Amino acid sequence: MYSSAFLLAVLSHTVSGLPGERHGLAKRDSTLIPTSCFDSTSSLTQYFNYNYPWGDTHNGAAIMKDSNSVIADAGVLTLNATYTGASDYAYDSGTVYAKQQFTVEAGGGLDFSAQFIAPVETGTWPAFWLNGVNSWPPEIDVAEWKGSGDISFNTFNSSSEVQAQDVKYPSPTDYHTVLAELRDEDGSNVSVNFYLDGTLITTQYASGLVGQPLNLIIDLQMEGSSGSPGPTGTTLFQIKNLEVIDKNA
């Protein structure tokens, strides 16, 4: 028979050799918004509010209406902009923002991903973006289309300190996958890896972003930074398989 002292020594050695013990337990990812969030109108409204966090307009020619953000097909959010010709806002369109706010914590991170069919014509300005809850900046454009045929990946540290990368947006009538990986770099600044269809496009840095809460917004604005005149018919922006993963835990 083995002595109790021997058994305790063996157990102690075994536990001390477990993976991750020296550096703390391995972090576990958790899903903050699941890919099922657009399965129905009820699932949409479980995770998102209509319009912007501050109201129904923002830097463009569209005013946002709840009825222009719809789940017509299960799994797909469709934002539609309709030309009305009104003198103040020439379009009715759709925007939603996440009910939850998101923060990169010290030593942690967040992943934001979705698939899009996005319009790229002059006067169309869809975007999938993050902005500061308490101030602007910060702003991270996970994906933005400004009527040029390109997709833009941007990080605003101030109105004059902007990192921006534009690349040609292929086959705009097909779905494309966008992913942004946000990671704490040094307890203050956050790196952002931007991917398009699984390819790393650029890495940018958000100054002092650790600990700052962010809003997640999906909107179809019109004209403004995307030029004018915009289309006079109906414009669609479609989103599916949106997911937010917490890397902080």
Side-chain angles (χ1 to χ4, degrees), residues 54-126:
W54 52 84
D56 55 11
T57 62
H58 180 65
N59 292 349
I63 187 168
M64 302 304 166
K65 308 283 188 179
D66 295 5
S67 58
N68 288 63
S69 302
V70 299
I71 306 293
D73 299 307
V76 179
L77 170 65
T78 298
L79 307 182
N80 65 83
T82 303
Y83 181 75
T84 65
S87 58
D88 48 357
Y89 294 100
Y91 297 86
D92 289 348
S93 191
T95 289
V96 298
Y97 70 97
K99 291 184 174 182
Q100 181 173 354
Q101 296 169 352
F102 305 96
T103 303
V104 175
E105 298 174 3
L110 296 162
D111 287 354
F112 298 87
S113 63
Q115 294 178 287
F116 301 92
I117 295 178
V120 296
E121 295 79 18
T122 298
T124 62
W125 191 10

Side-chain angles (χ1 to χ4, degrees), residues 165-196:
Q165 180 72 53
D166 297 342
V167 298
K168 197 69 179 176
Y169 192 59
S171 306
T173 57
D174 296 331
Y175 277 102
H176 295 281
T177 302
V178 169
L179 164 66
E181 297 174 335
L182 282 64
R183 298 291 185 272
D184 171 29
E185 283 291 298
D186 54 14
S188 176
N189 304 307
V190 170
S191 63
V192 187
N193 288 331
F194 295 89
Y195 295 83
L196 176 61

